[in-house]
Amino acid sequence: MSVLPLNLTPGTWNLDAAHTEIGFSVRHAAIARTRGRFTADSGVLTVGETLEDSKLEVTIDVASVDTSNEGRDEHLRSADFFDTETYPKAHFVSTKITGEGSDLTVEGEFTLRGTTKPLTLNIDFAGVVDDPMGATRTGGEATADFSRKEFGLTWNAALEAGGVLVADKVNLQIDAEFVKADA
């Protein structure tokens, strides 16, 4: 049985979307990374007496994609990529949380573009603090890699020198904060 990280207490912790960023990067033209981010729509961390009794669930507003290039963002929202008219949200729900201290692993099911696949988040747990307004906060950083093709994101273009315009491997970088719900 895994004990809870230091100062993390059982209960409901709501995602603080204003202090959360879900970022991604993908290799472009085989030479550089293109980065973007999404807005977290909602999320709940339900902490049990042990890590095994705990659960994480997050919904992402996929139409909020922002790569600092409006033309690219519109292409990403189209049926070539996310098809946000049909699939406006992505969803992650944990199936298992393990770890020790600040190093945690959250295994779960990730649904993107109507396809659900396993996804493992590697968490660097940052701890628990009481803020000046009286709220108790927790959070940390998470990373994961996945194949975009596994989620039906197959659009691409061949490069003259060989290779393709958009790599298959997507790297997620998440900075998240949760606020303890009032008892």
Side-chain angles (χ1 to χ4, degrees):
M1 224 190 295
S2 298
V3 297
L4 295 176
L6 185 65
N7 296 333
L8 187 61
T9 56
T12 300
W13 298 74
N14 296 310
L15 184 77
D16 180 353
H19 294 100
T20 296
E21 183 172 292
I22 300 169
F24 66 90
S25 66
V26 178
R27 181 126 356 242
H28 179 261
I31 58 170
R33 288 202 167 274
T34 295
R35 299 179 194 288
R37 63 178 179 226
F38 298 103
T39 301
D41 202 24
S42 62
V44 175
L45 172 62
T46 306
V47 178
E49 294 297 323
T50 66
L51 285 177
E52 289 85 358
D53 298 329
S54 301
K55 186 174 185 175
L56 173 64
E57 189 167 353
V58 176
T59 301
I60 301 165
D61 178 6
V62 181
S64 71
V65 66
D66 179 7
T67 64
S68 298
N69 180 303
E70 189 56 39
R72 179 173 47 225
D73 296 346
E74 286 302 318
H75 190 203
L76 289 171
R77 290 181 192 105
S78 78
D80 283 346
F81 286 95
F82 297 124
D83 192 5
T84 59
E85 279 198 33
T86 307
Y87 308 105
K89 307 287 183 184
H91 188 77
F92 178 83
V93 61
S94 68
T95 56
K96 183 178 181 183
I97 302 175
T98 57
E100 191 173 302
S102 64
D103 295 321
L104 303 177
T105 301
V106 179
E107 297 175 38
E109 297 291 324
F110 182 53
T111 302
L112 176 64
R113 203 173 193 261
T115 300
T116 302
K117 297 282 184 182
L119 182 70
T120 299
L121 300 172
N122 298 303
I123 310 287
D124 181 9
F125 177 70
V128 178
V129 298
D130 291 325
D131 72 20
M133 283 65 70
T136 302
R137 297 178 172 276
T138 190
E141 298 174 7
T143 59
D145 294 325
F146 67 88
S147 162
R148 67 186 184 90
K149 291 177 186 174
E150 288 185 357
F151 294 93
L153 299 166
T154 58
W155 182 92
N156 226 326
L159 299 173
E160 273 188 46
V164 292
L165 189 62
V166 183
D168 179 48
K169 180 181 169 185
V170 177
N171 178 258
L172 288 176
Q173 311 92 29
I174 303 163
D175 289 298
E177 280 190 31
F178 292 84
V179 179
K180 182 93 184 250
D182 291 333

